Amino acid sequence: MRNLRRIDGSVLKSPPDLRLTAAAWDAATDSLLCAFGPTQDNVLLELKRWHPNGKTFEPIASWEAPYPLPDLESDEILDLHYFSDSLTACVILRGGDIIVVREKPQDGEEKVEIVGSVDAGIAAAAWSPDEELLAIGTRAETLVYMTKDFDPVADVTFTREDLKASNHVSVGWGKQETQFKGRGTKALRDPTVPEKIDEGILSGFDEKNFSISWRGDGAYLAVNSIHEESRRIIRVYSREGALDSVSEPLDGLVGALSWRPAGNLICGVQYRDDGAKVVFFERNGLRHGQFDLRISKEELKTWASGISLKWNVDSSVLAVLFKDRIQMWTMGNYHYYLKQEIIMSSRNTQDAPVSLIWHPEKPLHFTMCSQQEVRFLTFASVNSIGTLKPPHDYGIVAVIDGKHLKLTAMRFANIPPPMSQQEVMLDRNATDVRLSSSSIDESVVLIDIFFGDREHSQYQWSMQTKGRDAPVLVDDKVSTISVYPPDLDSAACGPPTLESAVWHGYSQLAANGTANGDVETSQTKIIFSLSENGSLFANDRRLVRNCTSFLVSHLYLIVTTSQHLVKFVHLGSQDIELELPPDTPESDERCRSIERGARLVTAMPSIFAVVLQMPRGNLETIYPRALVLAGVRDSINKRKYKRAFLACRNQRVDMNILHDHAPQQFISNVNMFIDQVQKVGHIDLFLSQLRSEDVSKTMYKETLRTAEETEGKNNSAEQGTKINRICDAFLKALKGRMSTHSQNAVTAHVCKSPPDLDAGLSQIAELRTANPELVDAAIEHICFLADVNRLYDNALGLYDLRLASLIAQQSQKDPKEYGPFLQNLQRMTPLRMQYEIDNYLGRFQKALHHLCDLKAFEEVKSYTIKHDLYTTVLNHYRYQEARLNDLMRLYADHLSNSNDHASAGLAYDFLSDYVLASDSYRQAHLWKESLAAASLIPFPGLQQRSLAISLADSLTETKNFTAAATIHTDYLSDIPTAARLYCKGYHFTDAIRLSGLHHRPDLLASVIDPGLVEGMTSMTELLADCKSQLSAQVPRIHELRTKKAEDPLAFFDSEGIGGADIPDNVSLAPTDASTTGGSLFTRYTNRTGGTAGTGATRRTSKNRRREERKRARGKKGSVYEEEYLVNSVARLVERVNLVNEEVERLVVGLMRQGMRERAAAVESAMVEVVGLCKQCIPEIFGDGMEDGKGVVAGEVSEGVRPKGGEGILWDTLESSKPIETPVVKEFGELSLLGR
């Protein structure tokens, strides 16, 4: 779909009395070496340099080239090649001389030197693409290979035996005979047998020339020569000089030869009676297609004789050289287009045809040479397209194909090339075309067609008939265009303010008049330009380094990159920042993956479409999310809800954006939405897709939001959930439209969250009286939206048996089952029917209320016991004391049997059943309540004493020494036992008080002093254990973490150091105690939860249980050791905090009894342990904690939970919370001890 447009050029006339005979590129300086002479009148050969922007030739060297062979009137340059690395030119003459010209000769070197000579003369010569080999075809039918230093490599002689190198077998690919045509056709002949066998007959236009062409990689070369004056043969030789293949015979084949650099085709020219064709051969010599040069028989006799071929460096353009002109052909979708025809106005082209030299590095740069002048030309491959501004973005594309102008409006007909919607026949070959809109009627497209001789024609094409009418010629005149074509009479004729590196922006601007290459927003104007190296510029700022094509619409700059992505850059705001989206097509709507090598053709924002052309030439229309969402948002802002809805529906965009983009506006315009959309099915589709998620903040997050939009969205003051708010708004709007939109009302009820099925069914029940004809359709609709079994239950719950029957008929239920059931309900009284329905539906509380209303108390009691409805029934009978007491006793018995003895005791207490109440309290360890209830019976003294002893013993077992001591004091009068219990709980002050209160000073020596000594002993042992544990575990934790930081592999596999494989029973995942960094995988490969080696082990339940035991033990040297030690230290700190107050009471007790040394020893031990705890906390759990939280090492990435032993570690990581840093309580030292 692209045309070749000339964007730069310059021309220089040859010096007087000099004839230009050859030229070569100097790729390093982009200059041209031109050779003048020798001629029949002058044997002087001059070598000059011309810079395309210069006005004169710079002389390099000159020498005489006499006639070495008697049959040559004058010598002739066959090949001129320049080596930029050595500043050396190589000139090969037909007479046989090989001459080297050094621009800067070294000492001892000559400036012009004949390095070799072929006595028989040279017929053709060509350097390999890597400049390492020179292939020379001699006039003695031989092929000579030479190195860059002109040392012979191979010498090959052409013989008859060469014809046996290839045994050609054609299977008829692409032939008409191989196509299936149906049963009625004639018998197909063998496609491998051609209709006519060519013999290789020479054409009358054959100039008997010899040609050589290398493949692009330099591995093979092709030689086109005449074999024994009878036929032409194309021989293919390897780089070593071995014959690879020979072409099949072809009548009319001439000497033109060019091997496509891509390597797949060898091109030649075949003359026929009716014209000429370019024919293609494969490397094996078989034919591989052709195309017609569209030359008449008369033209063959004039300018179309002596054809030669040359491919450009990237194989995109084939130049066909005639005597006075050059044609440029491109291929797309297996069709060859004639894109350019350049005619040289030289007088002597009949004697010296036009020559062309492609630039060796820049694909569309070349020079044209005639005897009198040299032209430097630069072309660009561009799309000739119409405006992209809505609503007149018809997607018009114009394609030049010689005398055919192919036009297609992609918006109406996406016709793949080479076909087109309209085709304009021209009387001469077109060279360029521009499209613009008429200033009178923008639906009319103006087509300006340019020809090589500066002629210009204009056509009009009306889009009112969607392009079905053919374009009409309105102006056919000769005119001079100021911007095109460039004036080649000047030294540099491109745009005066643009360099050749930014031609694309200039060409697009010129092509579309106003819009495709520049953008005007408010007072800002930006010119976009694309350089040859893929850099896209906005004015002077480079946006993209790897751009392959671009388009400019009214909202976006659309760019394709070499990473096979199409990107959209916002242009809509007044302050254009031109933010290029990242390469994240999975998360950013402004970026999308495309097929490899695809390039932009045109865009149609009105229909959200972008047309791409694949490398082969076929077209693909895509609908990028950026354009679709931009159109949807624009329609919502303009309150065109139907257009937005249809865009979402057609492009599979989540319907929630219709609300989420502007929530307050949508809720205020629900009536407008219904009026525009109208169709009941469309409204149902919208309601059924509602979700609580705000898609404008998640999947369709706006990448360019104005302040007004943001403020309007954030100021929404609607209450309640989104789905229910929208459904309520629709229900309110549909109240007056029930005759036409009753189905939508049902949908609104069902689509609420949770679904309001009762309201939907009630809506249908109302239709039975208002619109009976709509009931059946409404029943079918609601059954489609919701589970029919659930609807049946809800219909029963409404106690509407008729509605339930209608719902059941839409289900898979057996009428023999639900029919009798409904009939039985119909015969019941209303209360009994409601009870049966609620009981059937499992609504036991409502069923119980119906039973209560039926005054069936015995049924109520049994139903309450069966379904555990005690609280419900107690609330119902709260004013009927007798029945309340009966039900309360049932409830108390139920609580007692359920082991809820505390609640059962309260219930028995409520019923004044103190015996059962006391027993229940006793079982609940509520000693105060139990003894209080027992005192109200009253119990006999012995029985009450027994109860007190039982309670005291149970409290002692649970280490509630204070409560047990109170019972011994108040109920058993056992003062020594009470004092002993106070001492066990370290409440020495209470024990001393008790002995004084009851006048028992003897207890100080017999009970309290031994209790102090016993408490001091046990506490000292505990503190010593804590100290030894800290001394052992804290250094070990430091050692483990040091090993893990220095050598993670050795840390996780101490036995596998030295390059051995990691055993598969060692996990590499981190644990919840690792607080100093991730695991081996998290730090080096960003993986977690995995194991080394194979993943096939540790997946059985046995291994899982074994892993659990390992983790619990925290064995030394295992991966769980660090976690075990850290948890152990945390538990130790908790234990120290628990005994803190006990130690304080113990120290006070020792001091009161005169044991100062022992008190000092206990306090000293406690202070030391607390100090060690405070010291190790920052080291183990990390410092700089916030909110008491520690650091959790090894962030767990999302993934699939592994099985077996690995799953234990995975569960630990997934379920673990941040480790809380323990806080050590301050210990209050006693000042009397003088520490």
Side-chain angles (χ1 to χ4, degrees):
M1 305 296 285
R2 290 178 170 264
N3 299 319
L4 293 179
R5 177 170 298 157
R6 190 168 68 213
I7 59 170
D8 194 9
S10 56
V11 63
L12 187 64
K13 299 295 183 180
S14 298
D17 302 328
L18 290 181
R19 172 186 169 189
L20 181 64
T21 55
W25 281 99
D26 179 3
T29 60
D30 272 350
S31 59
L32 194 71
L33 267 72
C34 300
F36 298 91
T39 62
Q40 186 175 359
D41 301 328
N42 186 1
V43 296
L44 185 66
L45 196 157
E46 296 185 44
L47 197 61
K48 299 177 181 290
R49 182 185 295 273
W50 173 53
H51 294 277
N53 294 327
K55 297 182 179 181
T56 59
F57 291 98
E58 301 174 2
I60 297 176
S62 62
W63 68 96
E64 291 185 354
Y67 314 142
L69 298 177
D71 58 338
L72 294 178
E73 295 180 357
S74 65
D75 215 339
E76 178 185 351
I77 298 177
L78 296 179
D79 184 77
L80 173 61
H81 191 85
Y82 187 79
F83 299 92
S84 301
D85 54 349
S86 60
L87 304 179
T88 303
C90 179
V91 182
I92 301 177
L93 301 176
R94 183 177 294 276
D97 289 339
I98 303 174
I99 303 171
V100 172
V101 180
R102 302 178 180 89
E103 285 195 82
K104 297 180 179 180
Q106 301 293 327
D107 293 338
E109 293 182 339
E110 298 181 4
K111 188 175 185 68
V112 179
E113 179 183 0
I114 300 178
V115 295
S117 182
V118 179
D119 295 336
I122 300 175
W127 284 92
S128 64
D130 58 2
E131 299 182 339
E132 293 296 330
L133 282 180
L134 171 63
I136 297 176
T138 69
R139 301 178 69 184
E141 298 292 324
T142 61
L143 179 65
V144 178
Y145 282 21
M146 291 185 179
T147 65
K148 192 174 183 179
D149 297 327
F150 304 102
D151 296 327
V153 175
D155 192 344
V156 181
T157 302
F158 302 153
T159 65
R160 180 182 292 272
E161 298 298 322
D162 294 345
L163 302 180
K164 301 178 181 179
S166 298
N167 294 321
H168 302 121
V169 177
S170 174
V171 294
W173 295 120
K175 297 288 186 179
Q176 185 179 10
E177 292 81 2
T178 62
Q179 309 303 313
F180 179 71
K181 300 180 181 179
R183 293 170 51 190
T185 59
K186 297 180 180 180
L188 300 177
R189 63 179 185 83
D190 187 355
T192 62
V193 179
E195 298 179 4
K196 177 180 177 298
I197 300 177
D198 285 358
E199 300 177 0
I201 300 173
L202 293 176
S203 170
F205 296 96
D206 198 322
E207 298 178 348
K208 313 298 183 182
N209 57 335
F210 190 111
S211 54
I212 299 174
S213 180
W214 286 87
R215 199 170 74 172
D217 59 359
Y220 293 91
L221 67 81
V223 178
N224 187 345
S225 63
I226 297 177
H227 176 69
E228 297 180 351
E229 300 296 332
S230 61
R231 57 169 284 194
R232 272 205 173 267
I233 297 177
I234 298 177
R235 295 176 171 87
V236 177
Y237 289 91
S238 68
R239 189 179 181 89
E240 292 75 24
L243 181 63
D244 184 73
S245 62
V246 176
S247 64
E248 62 178 284
L250 180 64
D251 292 344
L253 183 66
V254 295
L257 180 68
S258 182
W259 199 326
R260 194 167 186 248
N264 58 335
L265 297 175
I266 302 173
C267 304
V269 175
Q270 179 189 22
Y271 280 94
R272 303 180 66 89
D273 295 338
D274 56 349
K277 295 180 180 180
V278 173
V279 293
F280 301 121
F281 294 89
E282 298 176 8
R283 200 194 81 192
N284 58 14
L286 288 174
R287 287 280 304 279
H288 190 90
Q290 61 189 17
F291 71 89
D292 194 355
L293 287 175
R294 308 171 192 173
I295 299 173
S296 65
K297 188 181 299 184
E298 291 74 17
E299 291 170 337
L300 281 177
K301 299 176 181 178
T302 56
W303 55 266
S305 60
I307 302 174
S308 59
L309 306 173
K310 285 191 178 181
W311 283 100
N312 69 336
V313 67
D314 68 349
S315 304
S316 60
V317 180
L318 174 63
V320 182
L321 284 67
F322 301 94
K323 285 189 174 182
D324 64 343
R325 67 194 67 191
I326 293 175
Q327 292 183 352
M328 295 186 183
W329 296 76
T330 65
M331 191 269 286
N333 231 11
Y334 304 106
H335 175 81
Y336 279 83
Y337 299 84
L338 175 54
K339 294 297 184 182
Q340 281 286 337
E341 184 178 59
I342 306 171
I343 301 176
M344 294 284 283
S345 57
S346 175
R347 298 178 181 177
N348 299 322
T349 53
Q350 297 296 330
D351 300 329
V354 174
S355 62
L356 177 143
I357 302 94
W358 287 106
H359 195 287
E361 295 177 357
K362 300 178 180 179
L364 296 179
H365 291 234
F366 64 91
T367 58
M368 292 176 57
C369 303
S370 66
Q371 294 182 8
Q372 287 80 27
E373 66 181 21
V374 180
R375 291 189 184 185
F376 166 78
L377 297 175
T378 301
F379 281 77
S381 178
V382 299
N383 290 313
S384 299
I385 60 176
T387 179
L388 273 66
K389 184 178 181 181
H392 305 294
D393 50 340
Y394 304 112
I396 301 175
V397 183
V399 181
I400 295 175
D401 188 10
K403 297 180 181 180
H404 305 267
L405 180 65
K406 300 176 183 291
L407 297 169
T408 302
M410 294 292 176
R411 185 168 169 181
F412 308 126
N414 192 343
I415 299 175
M419 298 180 291
S420 60
Q421 186 179 13
Q422 295 288 344
E423 188 168 316
V424 179
M425 296 299 300
L426 308 172
D427 57 354
R428 49 202 178 278
N429 293 326
T431 56
D432 199 2
V433 60
R434 309 293 175 94
L435 304 177
S436 60
S437 298
S438 173
S439 59
I440 301 175
D441 184 1
E442 292 190 0
S443 65
V444 175
V445 179
L446 300 180
I447 306 169
D448 294 311
I449 305 173
F450 300 90
F451 304 95
D453 51 4
R454 298 190 183 183
E455 290 189 18
H456 161 254
S457 297
Q458 188 176 84
Y459 286 77
Q460 288 185 355
W461 192 19
S462 175
M463 291 292 106
Q464 294 180 352
T465 59
K466 296 185 177 181
R468 287 189 289 268
D469 294 340
V472 179
L473 178 65
V474 295
D475 187 10
D476 188 9
K477 61 184 180 180
V478 177
S479 60
T480 302
I481 309 300
S482 59
V483 297
Y484 180 86
D487 184 6
L488 295 182
D489 293 332
S490 62
C493 63
T497 59
L498 293 179
E499 299 177 358
S500 60
V502 292
W503 55 263
H504 203 281
Y506 173 79
S507 65
Q508 293 284 5
L509 175 59
N512 300 288
T514 58
N516 203 18
D518 67 348
V519 174
E520 292 193 29
T521 304
S522 183
Q523 297 180 353
T524 303
K525 182 175 182 179
I526 301 177
I527 298 178
F528 296 99
S529 53
L530 178 62
S531 66
E532 291 177 328
N533 61 4
S535 295
L536 179 65
F537 291 87
N539 292 336
D540 297 331
R541 175 191 169 193
R542 179 160 55 186
L543 293 178
V544 190
R545 293 179 180 271
N546 56 352
C547 178
T548 57
S549 61
F550 78 96
L551 292 172
V552 179
S553 71
H554 66 299
L555 290 179
Y556 288 104
L557 165 66
I558 309 172
V559 178
T560 58
T561 69
S562 57
Q563 275 77 30
H564 322 300
L565 299 172
V566 59
K567 296 185 177 184
F568 297 82
V569 180
H570 286 290
L571 299 175
S573 63
Q574 293 185 1
D575 183 16
I576 299 179
E577 297 181 357
L578 299 180
E579 178 188 358
L580 189 72
D583 296 345
T584 55
E586 65 281 353
S587 60
D588 196 328
E589 70 182 41
R590 298 171 296 167
C591 184
R592 169 176 172 153
S593 298
I594 56 177
E595 188 174 333
R596 180 183 295 272
R599 300 169 75 180
L600 293 166
V601 175
T602 188
M604 294 159 281
S606 295
I607 61 172
F608 328 121
V610 171
V611 181
L612 299 169
Q613 187 168 27
M614 304 303 112
R616 194 193 72 182
N618 55 309
L619 300 180
E620 179 179 342
T621 301
I622 63 174
Y623 297 85
R625 274 289 183 261
L627 289 183
V628 174
L629 294 177
V632 170
R633 292 175 183 128
D634 181 65
S635 299
I636 294 173
N637 294 335
K638 295 178 180 177
R639 293 178 172 82
K640 296 181 179 180
Y641 288 108
K642 182 175 183 180
R643 186 173 188 270
F645 173 84
L646 293 177
C648 293
R649 180 171 176 264
N650 295 336
Q651 302 301 329
R652 301 182 65 85
V653 175
D654 196 311
M655 297 285 183
N656 286 271
I657 195 175
L658 298 176
H659 166 271
D660 296 342
H661 179 66
Q664 197 171 12
Q665 172 187 306
F666 183 85
I667 295 297
S668 303
N669 293 277
V670 171
N671 281 304
M672 181 185 296
F673 179 90
I674 297 173
D675 292 338
Q676 291 182 11
V677 177
Q678 291 185 344
K679 288 189 178 181
V680 174
H682 288 175
I683 298 175
D684 282 346
L685 178 62
F686 169 74
L687 292 172
S688 63
Q689 292 192 6
L690 290 176
R691 293 185 291 119
S692 58
E693 177 188 358
D694 187 349
V695 298
S696 67
K697 295 180 179 178
T698 55
M699 67 171 68
Y700 303 139
K701 185 176 181 181
E702 175 63 280
T703 53
L704 179 67
R705 184 177 296 279
T706 62
E708 292 78 7
E709 290 176 341
T710 304
E711 181 180 358
K713 183 169 181 176
N714 293 337
N715 287 340
S716 177
E718 297 289 340
Q719 301 296 324
T721 63
K722 163 191 161 182
I723 298 176
N724 293 345
R725 186 170 67 250
I726 297 174
C727 291
D728 290 339
F730 270 86
L731 290 171
K732 181 179 180 181
L734 292 172
K735 282 185 178 179
R737 309 171 187 250
M738 286 301 173
S739 59
T740 56
H741 290 78
S742 59
Q743 178 175 310
N744 295 141
V746 173
T747 304
H749 285 301
V750 176
C751 290
K752 285 187 175 181
S753 178
D756 193 355
L757 299 181
D758 290 346
L761 292 170
S762 300
Q763 186 79 44
I764 296 175
E766 294 175 1
L767 290 176
R768 286 188 298 182
T769 56
N771 296 288
E773 66 278 2
L774 301 178
V775 173
D776 291 340
I779 290 291
E780 292 181 4
H781 180 65
I782 197 171
C783 290
F784 171 75
L785 293 176
D787 180 19
V788 67
N789 295 317
R790 187 179 174 188
L791 288 170
Y792 175 74
D793 293 343
N794 283 78
L796 283 177
L798 295 175
Y799 312 121
D800 190 335
L801 300 182
R802 174 61 181 162
L803 183 61
S805 177
L806 292 175
I807 295 294
Q809 292 173 15
Q810 300 294 325
S811 69
Q812 300 297 322
K813 294 181 179 293
D814 188 355
K816 295 181 180 179
E817 294 181 2
Y818 70 80
F821 173 71
L822 295 177
Q823 292 174 3
N824 186 37
L825 293 176
Q826 187 71 33
R827 291 191 291 266
M828 296 180 182
T829 61
L831 282 176
R832 178 59 66 174
M833 179 192 69
Q834 293 172 8
Y835 162 73
E836 291 293 341
I837 289 175
D838 289 331
N839 183 57
Y840 171 77
L841 296 177
R843 303 190 295 193
F844 302 122
Q845 291 186 358
K846 293 188 67 175
L848 180 62
H849 284 297
H850 295 313
L851 273 181
C852 294
D853 294 339
L854 286 171
K855 303 185 183 306
F857 189 65
E858 294 301 323
E859 284 188 67
V860 168
K861 290 197 293 184
S862 60
Y863 199 80
T864 300
I865 295 172
K866 180 179 180 181
H867 296 291
D868 193 11
L869 300 173
Y870 298 100
T871 55
T872 303
V873 74
L874 288 173
N875 186 59
H876 186 84
Y877 286 104
R878 61 186 178 276
Y879 301 120
Q880 302 180 31
E881 186 176 354
R883 293 185 174 181
L884 178 63
N885 290 337
D886 289 346
L887 294 170
M888 183 64 74
R889 183 166 294 277
L890 291 176
Y891 190 27
D893 294 340
H894 169 74
L895 293 173
S896 180
N897 294 331
S898 302
N899 295 325
D900 189 358
H901 299 292
S903 299
L906 286 174
Y908 286 127
D909 233 345
F910 175 83
L911 297 171
S912 301
D913 190 346
Y914 300 117
V915 176
L916 294 178
S918 177
D919 185 62
S920 296
Y921 286 139
R922 179 187 60 79
Q923 296 184 62
H925 303 289
L926 300 175
W927 61 276
K928 295 179 181 179
E929 291 81 354
S930 179
L931 291 172
S935 64
L936 295 175
I937 297 177
F939 271 154
L942 184 60
Q943 188 174 354
Q944 188 168 3
R945 183 178 178 82
S946 175
L947 175 62
I949 293 173
S950 174
L951 289 171
D953 292 342
S954 64
L955 291 172
T956 302
E957 290 177 2
T958 59
K959 297 184 186 260
N960 192 351
F961 299 111
T962 303
T966 303
I967 293 176
H968 278 282
T969 302
D970 297 343
Y971 292 92
L972 299 177
S973 300
D974 189 353
I975 303 305
T977 303
R980 194 174 292 107
L981 290 172
Y982 277 128
C983 290
K984 285 186 178 182
Y986 290 90
H987 297 282
F988 299 103
T989 301
D990 291 334
I992 295 173
R993 180 192 62 82
L994 186 64
S995 63
L997 179 65
H998 292 277
H999 308 288
R1000 296 289 303 274
D1002 58 296
L1003 295 178
L1004 294 175
S1006 61
V1007 175
I1008 296 175
D1009 287 348
L1012 285 169
V1013 174
E1014 182 181 353
M1016 180 253 185
T1017 303
S1018 61
M1019 189 60 68
T1020 303
E1021 291 177 356
L1022 173 62
L1023 296 176
D1025 291 341
C1026 291
K1027 179 180 177 182
S1028 62
Q1029 181 179 341
L1030 289 173
S1031 300
Q1033 291 181 345
V1034 172
R1036 179 59 179 169
I1037 293 174
H1038 290 321
E1039 180 184 355
L1040 292 173
R1041 290 180 176 174
T1042 302
K1043 287 183 178 180
K1044 182 167 64 173
E1046 293 177 351
D1047 191 353
L1049 185 59
F1051 173 76
F1052 288 108
D1053 178 28
S1054 58
E1055 298 177 359
I1057 301 175
D1061 293 336
I1062 300 175
D1064 57 8
N1065 63 344
V1066 176
S1067 173
L1068 295 181
T1071 64
D1072 59 355
S1074 301
T1075 62
T1076 59
S1079 71
L1080 181 68
F1081 274 10
T1082 57
R1083 282 179 290 167
Y1084 293 106
T1085 63
N1086 292 326
R1087 295 179 55 192
T1088 59
T1091 58
T1094 176
T1097 60
R1098 302 155 66 80
R1099 293 186 179 179
T1100 64
S1101 59
K1102 179 179 179 180
N1103 286 334
R1104 179 178 55 82
R1105 291 192 297 270
R1106 182 175 63 189
E1107 197 73 17
E1108 290 174 349
R1109 291 193 297 270
K1110 285 183 178 181
R1111 182 168 180 262
R1113 288 196 302 267
K1115 182 181 178 182
K1116 185 175 182 179
S1118 69
V1119 292
Y1120 300 110
E1121 182 185 1
E1122 181 188 358
E1123 176 191 15
Y1124 177 83
L1125 294 177
V1126 171
N1127 290 333
S1128 177
V1129 172
R1131 291 192 297 269
L1132 183 143
V1133 174
E1134 293 177 3
R1135 177 59 179 157
V1136 171
N1137 289 337
L1138 289 176
V1139 301
N1140 189 296
E1141 295 181 0
E1142 295 180 358
V1143 173
E1144 290 181 356
R1145 295 196 296 268
L1146 176 61
V1147 171
V1148 172
L1150 290 171
M1151 284 295 294
R1152 292 186 65 179
Q1153 292 302 106
M1155 304 178 187
R1156 185 180 182 283
E1157 296 299 328
R1158 294 184 178 183
V1162 174
E1163 186 181 80
S1164 176
M1166 183 64 181
V1167 169
E1168 184 178 4
V1169 171
V1170 170
L1172 290 175
C1173 291
K1174 289 182 178 180
Q1175 181 181 355
C1176 73
I1177 290 299
E1179 300 175 1
I1180 296 178
F1181 298 92
D1183 48 7
M1185 301 298 174
E1186 296 179 4
D1187 301 328
K1189 297 294 182 69
V1191 180
V1192 178
E1195 295 181 358
V1196 182
S1197 61
E1198 296 181 0
V1200 180
R1201 181 189 183 277
K1203 297 180 180 180
E1206 295 177 1
I1208 302 302
L1209 295 173
W1210 180 275
D1211 292 338
T1212 301
L1213 294 171
E1214 289 291 331
S1215 61
S1216 62
K1217 298 179 180 178
I1219 301 175
E1220 294 186 3
T1221 303
V1223 178
V1224 182
K1225 285 185 179 180
E1226 293 292 338
F1227 177 70
E1229 301 182 38
L1230 195 61
S1231 60
L1232 293 177
L1233 293 176
R1235 290 179 54 83

